[in-house]
Amino acid sequence: MQDIRLAIFDWDGTLMDSVGRIVACVQGAARDCGEPVPTAQETHQIIGLSLEVGIPRLFGLGQGNERAQALIARYRHHYLHDDTPSPLFAGASELLHHWHAQGIALAVATGKSRRGLDRVLDETGLRPLFAATRGADEANSKPDPLMLTQILDELDLVSGQAVMIGDSIHDMAMAEALAMPRVGVTWGVHDRERLQAHDPVAVVDTMDELRLLRS
């Protein structure tokens, strides 16, 4: 990690404690559309994917299916109006500011849309820290590595100079496809065993442990 020049973060479940809000919105969309309501654990498995990929997969529908599109529309409605708290994880802002001050470039690669990503970047005041950001509607959905490739090209770096940090197997698989070093965090949607299946350089349980990887 000492030679890393760029840290690329997932957002939901990695920097922001928004998993509960996502679950509530998926469940609300299902009720609105008369679909079976998925459990929190079932919903966890598609967090990190784009809505256009994750929602059809969760409900066993084809991409572009009319029912899937209705679910996506209701999810977006709920997300705008849901009041489930979704703060940054404790220590996330401090970590980002610390690494930024050390001269490490920071980026975001997320399953959020550009609109949703812009909203949280502005709400948290973190936008100035990031050299590059990509949402799911600007590339292919994870685990396709296109958004990582785009970020690397934009910053004129190669995969070995970057690290992907995320809470899901989708993050790990995306980085693995480029032979990019990767770090899993256990405070999001997937547990240590599932993250380790993708051969990360580390799996950490706290933000302090993550910070110490590049002190």
Side-chain angles (χ1 to χ4, degrees), residues 17-83:
D17 189 5
S18 47
V19 171
R21 183 178 183 183
I22 293 169
V23 170
C25 293
V26 169
Q27 292 176 336
R31 284 189 288 267
D32 289 352
C33 295
E35 301 285 354
V37 178
T39 65
Q41 188 59 38
E42 289 168 339
T43 306
H44 287 178
Q45 306 317 307
I46 58 97
I47 292 176
L49 302 175
S50 69
L51 289 176
E52 288 72 19
V53 172
I55 290 292
R57 181 178 299 182
L58 179 61
F59 290 90
L61 303 170
Q63 289 185 39
N65 178 280
E66 185 175 336
R67 288 162 58 197
Q69 293 306 307
L71 284 160
I72 290 169
R74 293 309 297 170
Y75 172 90
R76 287 178 170 145
H77 171 82
H78 279 280
Y79 201 86
L80 286 175
H81 300 287
D82 187 85
D83 59 1

Side-chain angles (χ1 to χ4, degrees), residues 11 21 39 49 67 91 94 110 113 128 137 144 148 153 160 180 182 193 204 207 211 214:
W11 191 271
R21 183 178 183 183
T39 65
L49 302 175
R67 288 162 58 197
E94 292 82 356
T110 178
S113 67
D137 52 353
D144 188 293
L148 295 184
D153 288 347
M180 178 183 289
R182 47 211 170 269
E193 183 177 0
V204 298
M207 205 67 71
R211 178 172 172 164
R214 184 63 164 77

Side-chain angles (χ1 to χ4, degrees), residues 41 167 169 185-186 188-196 203:
Q41 188 59 38
D167 67 306
I169 58 173
V185 304
T186 61
V189 296
H190 290 148
D191 62 24
R192 175 178 293 272
E193 183 177 0
R194 296 193 70 189
L195 295 168
Q196 285 181 327
V203 177

Side-chain angles (χ1 to χ4, degrees), residues 143-184:
D144 188 293
L146 179 58
M147 65 175 70
L148 295 184
T149 300
Q150 291 175 340
I151 290 170
L152 292 172
D153 288 347
E154 180 177 339
L155 300 180
D156 196 25
L157 296 171
V158 298
S159 61
Q161 295 173 306
V163 61
M164 177 69 210
I165 300 166
D167 67 306
S168 79
I169 58 173
H170 313 304
D171 301 314
M172 300 297 100
M174 178 173 63
E176 189 175 22
L178 295 182
M180 178 183 289
R182 47 211 170 269
V183 174

Side-chain angles (χ1 to χ4, degrees), residues 52-151:
E52 288 72 19
V53 172
I55 290 292
R57 181 178 299 182
L58 179 61
F59 290 90
L61 303 170
Q63 289 185 39
N65 178 280
E66 185 175 336
R67 288 162 58 197
Q69 293 306 307
L71 284 160
I72 290 169
R74 293 309 297 170
Y75 172 90
R76 287 178 170 145
H77 171 82
H78 279 280
Y79 201 86
L80 286 175
H81 300 287
D82 187 85
D83 59 1
T84 304
S86 51
L88 290 171
F89 284 105
S93 179
E94 292 82 356
L95 170 70
L96 293 171
H97 280 90
H98 176 68
W99 280 1
H100 184 266
Q102 286 190 324
I104 302 170
L106 306 176
V108 175
T110 178
K112 286 185 174 303
S113 67
R114 166 51 59 184
R115 182 180 178 185
L117 177 57
D118 283 343
R119 185 184 305 117
V120 293
L121 287 172
D122 290 336
E123 287 174 354
T124 60
L126 295 176
R127 182 188 292 274
L129 298 181
F130 293 106
T133 60
R134 283 297 183 283
D137 52 353
E138 299 170 307
N140 299 330
S141 176
K142 300 174 184 179
D144 188 293
L146 179 58
M147 65 175 70
L148 295 184
T149 300
Q150 291 175 340
I151 290 170

